[in-house]
Structure formats: structure tokens, C-alpha cells
Amino acid sequence: MENLWSFIFGDPNKKFVEGLRPIVDSINALENSIQPLSDSQLKEKTNEFRQRLQKGESLDQLLPEAFAVVREGAKRVLGMRHFDVQLIGGIVLHQGKISEMKTGEGKTLVSTLPAYLNALEGKGVYVVTVNDYLAKRDSQWMGKVFEFLGLTVGLIHADMPAQERLKAYECDITYGTNNEFGFDYLRDHLAYDRSQICQIRRHFAIIDEVDSILIDEARTPLIISGPVQESTAKYAEVAKVVKTLQTTTHFTVDEKHKNVILTEEGASKIEAAFGISDLYSVQHMDIAHMSVQCLKALLLYKKDVDYVVKDGEVLIVDEFTGRILDGRRYSDGLHQAIEAVERLNVKEESQTMASITFQNYFRMFPKLGGMTGTAATEKDEFIKIYGLDVITIPTHRAQIRKDMPDLVYKSKKEKYKAVVELIKERHAKSQPTLVGTISIEMSELISNMLKKEGIPHNVLNAKHHEKEAEIISKAGQANAVTIATNMAGRGTDIVLGEGVAELGGLYVIGTERHESRRIDNQLRGRSGRQGDPGNTKFFVSLEDDLMRIFGSDRIAKIMDTLGLPEDTPIEHGLISKSIEKAQTKVEKYYFSMRKQILEYDDVLNRQRETVYTLRDQLLLGEDITQRFKDLVNNLMVSIVRENYGEERNITNADHTDCITALTQLLHEPEIKLTVETSPTQDALAAQLTQFALKKYKEKTESYPPALFEALVTRHILLSTLDRKWIDHLNQMENLKEGIGLRAYGQKDPLLEYKIEGFAMFTQLMNDVTQEALEMILKAQIVVEETNEPTHARL
């Protein structure tokens, strides 16, 4: 349908890009007037732009001149001049869209244009990258342009001192990884002092490798956890037992959905091993849960594919980049199960203190832009989830890379032999070769095969990521052979060495098709940058996971019909299209998964926003009295409704239960309700609120103005809110895990989750207010005689 629409009305992407040409012409027209300016005059332009903004000019009006200034600054400082297509990319980013630019087109330089322009507003600009190395490199490299023009540049990275982190956020432009920005947001909402909050400003973010961050990592939420004081020794015992279980007899495995289900025989064997009568009774549910998680660890999570073991620790590997996900642990006991299966020291389980998905974190920004070489295949998802349109930017020079049809083999063994033969052939001609694998295990298998052939090579995977930049910088030299997991090295260009273009450029070999076409396109994109020559070829076997799980039957029948030997492949464009169809199915499946995760997280996100907004008001607000009054009023409305049900007119009702509840809450032995003037629930709730606030006022008047609020009310509300919120997060997680079973009762699990989640949240807020109010009315401020600071005794 999209192709038909383009045929009739023309390519909408091309029309959009052409519509930006007049702006590019305006920027180019200013070049002659900008070039004669001295360095100081060029720098002074920044102050001039800020003054013009204050007088009412818009960023769009300033754009041509601001972009011209940045281009001149980059020429002087970096010796790099923005091409016209880079100017187009910068305009697209400024407009809050995604610039899809091929590898080697200079996305890093493009980001300087919208970053500078938007930083003029003084609201802060975040430039988000996928790892610390790129964040540091870009902040130092592109930062020279910003500093030359009078802007400040900050960098956030793991393990940096708190004060340095705060200073980095105060800068005009701040570089960092998606993980660090996300975790800082969560840490801000665990802080108890205003001076500890980093992200006071959150306005415009430019996300590099936007598809990696907003698509690939969307299924894994950021979680800050705290330890739960429970024994983990039982995991080791359970792991020993489940290792004796047999497939089909004791459990079934669903590879596609990564799930394991115990059979009755399996449950009975576990019961016998632990001497219990019912595995699914309340007191033994932990053993049932651990058993399933240990089976998942054994069967569905592979060492050197999904995780690596280093220094006695299980470290998660990003399936899309092959990098270690620092600081991440599998949730719900799975990490402990893997540790037990690997016979490592099992670390204590933790409880969630704060969490958020990248989807909901970045959707909080009023303005968002993104860059990548591969976004078009996920265009629908970017629009539906983030409201981000994808604009494909033309290349500076025409692409001449040759993408060859896939070679399909019957077995992995024959496939890898063919891969090594092609590497030997290219190496003999001195042509540099990049070999892409989808796992650490496969990268090391190819490496061992090349060692036997005596072919020198470099391996780039999660085990050797610290050498990433050095390895990638040499990958385009003559004779170079580089093996990389997926897109390890993403964000760094492979530049061809002298004479390599004449040898045919970089030859990219894919050893397996990924589940996502986009990841394959990223691998292809390493070759043929800036009009360079190059070749790409993918090798596939019917034993590959993608083919095995998602439909290799048709191709297998063709190979059997032709009677082809094991070592003879099929090479045809139709085969490649058939594989792409399988990939499209998988992409749709994962999109539906991410959409479902987001739908559930949206429920929690609305609650999170309410809690965090309240927390911000308590921590940052000068006067918390009104917020406290609102909370008390909501509590009183709930108490009245709980005691009087749906009956609105309560003139003749029994008020005993309501008075008892209020007596306990306010520590007031004699409470009289003037019911004759309060015939409705709303009026009675208002009366109770006034009664409670009167008690609170009496309490605060015993101390100097605002002292009680600052030392007691704020602290108690914050600590109570945090404690109850942590419990609520875990209750919501438990609810989500079990809610799927409602489908068997012909109920919509998501709707049930929303209804029950809302009821739980209402109860949470009432519990917070009730407990805090009780503590506040008991609290006393005592001034110690030792000249120590005044503090509250609760």
C-alpha cells in the first residue's frame, strides 16, 4: 500500500527533503558574511542569539544564521565543514524527528547543529550515546566546537563523583549514555536533599543510534534495587534437583516465548526431593518459582551468548550489540538461578526501589530527536510509540557497495567452512574483511577456525570491548580480518587504508541472519561509506535459530528436491526474500511484545508520575502546606466513603465507625461531628479535613514558623512515600505476573491490571497520608544542648 501511494503521489520522504532545500540555501548564502568574522566576533554571536531569543525571535528564525556559525566554528576548530546533506540532517533533528543517515555520513558532526541552536535557550541539551567511550569521545571532539563558540560542555559517566555529575548537568550541553541519563532520573527520585538532584532541566535530547536505544533496549527496564534479607542458599539446592529432570517427562520448553512449564511428574519429583507434599502451596511457592527459573537458566539462557562469567560474576550480554550491560541483573530470581546453575556464589535477591523503561523516560522530554543509519524498517513503531517521524537523508556521495544474495547451507558445519574459505580468499588478495556474528560463542568459533588456517585476525566482542576503538580503527587496512559480534564497534567508522579502495574496499561477511533486518543492515552499512567500494554477503544454514524456529521448511524442501550435497549452497534472490519475510514476522512479533510491555508500563508510569511529582514538590517546593492539605482531604474522603458506602445523604447514619477511625488517626479522645449541618459525604469529609488540619496547625504553632514543616512534615512524607512506593512496585510486579491467567476467565488482562492497579494505587496514597499524619502528630522537635543541629525526634 505504501509503495502504491508513493507511485501515485510521489515519494513523501523525497518531497520533505526537497522542502528543506530553501533553508539550506539560506545557510549557504550566509557563509561569505560569516567567514570574515574573527574568532572573538564569531563567539560573540552566541550572546547575540540569546539576546534575540529574549526579544521574541524563535529558534526557527535563528536557525540559518546559527547553523552557519556552527559550520564556520567546526571548520576552524576541527577542519571539518558540514555538507549540505548534513545541514538537512541537522534541520530534521531540530524539528524533533529521526535523521536516518548511512554509516560514514558524519552523524556526530550533524548533531552539533541542533545541539548548539537549542542550547541557546538555556534549558539544557542532552546528547545520548550507547556507551561511555562514545560519550567521552564526542564530548571532547565536538565539545571543542561548542566551547569555541562560548557554550559549556559536560560529560556524565559511570562511577563519577556526585559533585562532578551535578556540574555536568549544569552545562549547556551534556553528553552521556542512555543508561546514565535514565539511572540519574531514578536516583534523583531517591534523593533526600535538593542539592543531590541532577536533572533539574530535561528539555531536548538528541539520541545517537536511536534505534538501538528506543527499540532494541525497550524490552529491558532500568531498575534500581535494594537487597532483600532472605537466604539464597536454596537456589543451589534447587539447581541440583532440576538438573536431574528430563525434557517432556518433567517439563516442556517453549523456545519462542522463553518459557518452561513443569509437568505433574516434574512437580512430584521436586516435591519428593524436598520432602514436601504440595509444591504449589503458599509456603512452598518459592521452591516452585526457583525451579522454573533454574530450568530457564539451564535451557534458555546460554553462556557466552546471553551472558558471560567473569571473575565469578554473571554479566549480561546485550543481544543486539554483543556488549556487556554493566550494572544490569536479570530480575525475578533469574540471575540467582544462572549463578546457581553455573555453581557460582549466589548473591542475595533484591527488591525494586525505582524503575522505568527507556520508552517512558525519553517520552518525558518535550522535544526529542534521533540519529541512526537504520530506522526505516521500524518507522511505524517510532511514530506510534514516540511520535517520531523518520526522514531518510540522501548520501553525500552515491553508494556503490554490492550486496550479494544470501548463501544457504543445510548445516552450520558446512556454512562455517564456507565462511572461512571466503575469508582465506579475500585475505590472499589483501582485501580487509569484517566478519559479523550474532554471539560471542560464534565469534570465538570462527576465530579458532582461522587460527588453524594461520590467518591473523582481531576479535571484537563483550570480552574484548575495551580494545574496541583500536580494533575498529585498523579494520579497514589491507590484510585486516576483524570478527565482531553484531554491531560491536557501532558508532565508530571503519575508514579504508591506503590502496584498499583499489582492492575492492571492505568485504563484510554475515555468518547468520539476525531476527531483525535492521541489525543486518547495520552490519552491511560498515562497508561502502562515503561512496567507497565494498561487498557484503550473508551465510545462512537451515540449523540457524531464525531458520529453525521461524520457517526453513520451504527452503529445505527445495534443497531436498534438487538433491544438493551438504556442502552445496543455494544462492538466489528469492531465498533472500524468503528469509526477509521470516525476519518481518519476527519483527512484528517483537513489536507487539514491546507494545504490550509499554501498555502495562504506561499504567505504572502514570502512577510513577504522580508519586514523583509529589516527591518533587516536597523536595523542591518552598511551601508544602497546600500539598499536605490536599493529601489529608483525599484521605478523609476515602475514610468517609469507606464508612458510609455509596449512600451520599448520611444525616441519619451511624457515625460510630467513622469517629473511631478518626480518633485512632488523630489521637483525639473526644471527637464530635456536627452532622446536622453536614448531611452529605462531601460536606462531612470537608469537616474532618478541617478538624485534622486544626490538629496539625496546633502542632506546628508550638515551633518557630516553617521549622516544623521543614524538619518534620517534609521528611516524614518523603520517607513514608518512598517506603510505601517500593512495596507498591513489587506488588504491581506480582500483579502483572499473575494477571495473564485472567484471560482463561474471558477477561482482558490489561483492563484487569488497570482496574486493580488503580485500586492499589489509591490505597497506597491513602496509606502514605495516614501513616505520615499519625507520625507527624506524634513528632517532637528537640534542641540538643551540645550545639548540634536541630533535629526531629519521632
Side-chain angles (χ1 to χ4, degrees), residues 410 542 552-562 570:
K410 279 189 175 181
L542 300 185
S552 61
D553 296 347
R554 189 176 167 192
I555 300 171
K557 284 177 183 176
I558 295 172
M559 297 184 85
D560 289 338
T561 302
L562 295 173
I570 287 183

Side-chain angles (χ1 to χ4, degrees), residues 36-300:
L37 298 178
S38 66
D39 288 355
S40 60
Q41 287 174 322
L42 199 62
K43 184 176 182 178
E44 184 55 35
K45 278 287 181 181
T46 299
N47 290 328
E48 178 195 318
F49 292 148
R50 283 174 166 161
Q51 289 170 8
R52 285 161 62 181
L53 278 173
Q54 290 175 357
K55 291 177 181 177
E57 279 193 59
S58 67
L59 289 179
D60 289 342
Q61 289 172 314
L62 287 178
L63 187 150
E65 196 171 349
F67 275 30
V69 165
V70 175
R71 178 154 72 177
E72 183 62 26
K75 275 173 58 182
R76 296 185 190 185
V77 177
L78 304 176
M80 303 169 75
R81 178 185 177 276
H82 296 79
F83 303 133
D84 284 3
V85 290
Q86 290 175 315
L87 297 178
I88 292 172
I91 297 167
V92 168
L93 285 174
H94 165 66
Q95 291 180 350
K97 295 179 174 64
I98 292 173
S99 289
E100 186 190 58
M101 304 181 72
K102 300 299 180 188
T103 301
E105 290 295 304
K107 293 189 291 293
T108 307
L109 185 63
V110 168
S111 66
T112 57
L113 299 163
Y116 172 82
L117 176 63
N118 284 268
L120 295 172
E121 289 188 305
K123 297 177 181 178
V125 172
Y126 298 167
V127 182
V128 188
T129 65
V130 292
N131 61 48
D132 279 335
Y133 163 74
L134 290 176
K136 183 178 180 181
R137 183 201 72 178
D138 294 353
S139 68
Q140 294 175 348
W141 186 20
M142 297 298 133
K144 293 175 184 175
V145 178
F146 299 128
E147 289 169 350
F148 175 73
L149 294 174
L151 298 183
T152 55
V153 180
L155 169 67
I156 58 167
H157 57 84
D159 305 320
M160 70 188 299
Q163 288 306 310
E164 287 184 23
R165 187 178 292 269
L166 288 166
K167 286 180 182 176
Y169 274 103
E170 290 170 359
C171 293
D172 296 310
I173 298 166
T174 306
Y175 283 82
T177 66
N178 50 311
N179 283 341
E180 286 303 306
F181 282 118
F183 278 128
D184 280 343
Y185 169 76
L186 294 178
R187 283 189 285 257
D188 279 354
H189 290 93
L190 293 172
Y192 273 78
D193 192 298
R194 180 174 183 159
S195 64
Q196 298 171 346
I197 296 179
C198 297
Q199 292 184 14
I200 298 291
R201 303 177 301 176
R202 192 166 48 249
H203 178 62
F204 178 42
I206 300 171
I207 306 176
D208 194 9
E209 307 298 356
V210 66
D211 54 328
S212 174
I213 292 171
L214 296 188
I215 302 289
D216 298 338
E217 298 200 40
R219 284 183 285 162
T220 308
L222 291 173
I223 297 173
I224 292 181
S225 302
V228 175
Q229 302 303 319
E230 291 179 3
S231 173
T232 54
K234 200 178 288 184
Y235 273 104
E237 299 172 32
V238 172
K240 287 180 185 177
V241 173
V242 300
K243 284 180 179 179
T244 67
L245 302 183
Q246 297 175 355
T247 311
T248 307
T249 303
H250 298 123
F251 58 84
T252 57
V253 181
D254 182 354
E255 281 189 74
K256 190 180 288 189
H257 299 96
K258 282 205 166 186
N259 196 22
V260 177
I261 301 171
L262 285 169
T263 62
E264 288 186 18
E265 291 88 343
S268 297
K269 186 160 185 179
I270 294 170
E271 287 167 353
F274 285 95
I276 58 179
S277 58
D278 184 1
L279 182 64
Y280 296 105
S281 63
V282 174
Q283 60 266 43
H284 300 308
M285 280 292 284
D286 60 334
I287 297 178
H289 176 71
M290 289 179 186
S291 298
V292 171
Q293 296 301 73
C294 284
L295 283 169
K296 286 182 182 179
L298 271 172
L299 303 162
L300 297 172

Side-chain angles (χ1 to χ4, degrees), residues 10-46:
D11 183 352
N13 187 93
K14 187 176 181 181
K15 285 186 175 180
F16 183 87
V17 170
E18 288 302 316
L20 300 180
R21 294 288 180 184
I23 304 176
V24 173
D25 292 341
S26 299
I27 299 167
N28 289 333
L30 290 165
E31 193 162 20
N32 289 336
S33 62
I34 296 291
Q35 279 179 341
L37 298 178
S38 66
D39 288 355
S40 60
Q41 287 174 322
L42 199 62
K43 184 176 182 178
E44 184 55 35
K45 278 287 181 181
T46 299

Side-chain angles (χ1 to χ4, degrees), residues 509-639:
I509 299 173
T511 60
E512 193 166 334
R513 281 282 201 162
H514 195 272
E515 290 175 341
S516 168
R517 290 170 296 164
R518 183 169 42 81
I519 305 298
D520 290 342
N521 291 338
Q522 287 164 5
L523 180 60
R524 288 192 197 278
R526 313 306 289 177
S527 176
R529 64 182 291 281
Q530 286 288 326
D532 287 339
N535 295 79
T536 69
K537 183 184 283 288
F538 276 83
F539 288 73
V540 179
S541 90
L542 300 185
E543 294 176 347
D544 294 347
D545 288 344
L546 175 71
M547 304 297 290
R548 184 173 55 81
I549 298 174
F550 293 97
S552 61
D553 296 347
R554 189 176 167 192
I555 300 171
K557 284 177 183 176
I558 295 172
M559 297 184 85
D560 289 338
T561 302
L562 295 173
L564 296 175
E566 288 283 319
D567 61 350
T568 303
I570 287 183
E571 180 179 14
H572 197 283
L574 288 175
I575 299 294
S576 297
K577 286 182 179 178
S578 178
I579 293 169
E580 286 190 6
K581 283 183 180 178
Q583 289 175 308
T584 303
K585 288 180 183 176
V586 183
E587 288 166 2
K588 288 180 179 177
Y589 169 70
Y590 282 129
F591 174 38
S592 67
M593 276 185 62
R594 288 190 293 267
K595 190 166 178 285
Q596 185 181 50
I597 289 170
L598 184 62
E599 285 173 341
Y600 278 89
D601 193 58
D602 277 345
V603 177
L604 188 61
N605 193 54
R606 284 189 285 273
Q607 299 177 1
R608 183 191 298 113
E609 287 176 353
T610 301
V611 168
Y612 282 2
T613 298
L614 171 59
R615 208 180 185 285
D616 288 343
Q617 289 171 340
L618 294 173
L619 199 60
L620 304 176
E622 296 299 323
D623 180 12
I624 64 168
T625 302
Q626 187 56 51
R627 200 67 189 91
F628 181 66
K629 287 179 179 178
D630 293 340
L631 289 170
V632 171
N633 183 65
N634 291 339
L635 173 62
M636 295 308 169
V637 168
S638 294
I639 289 175

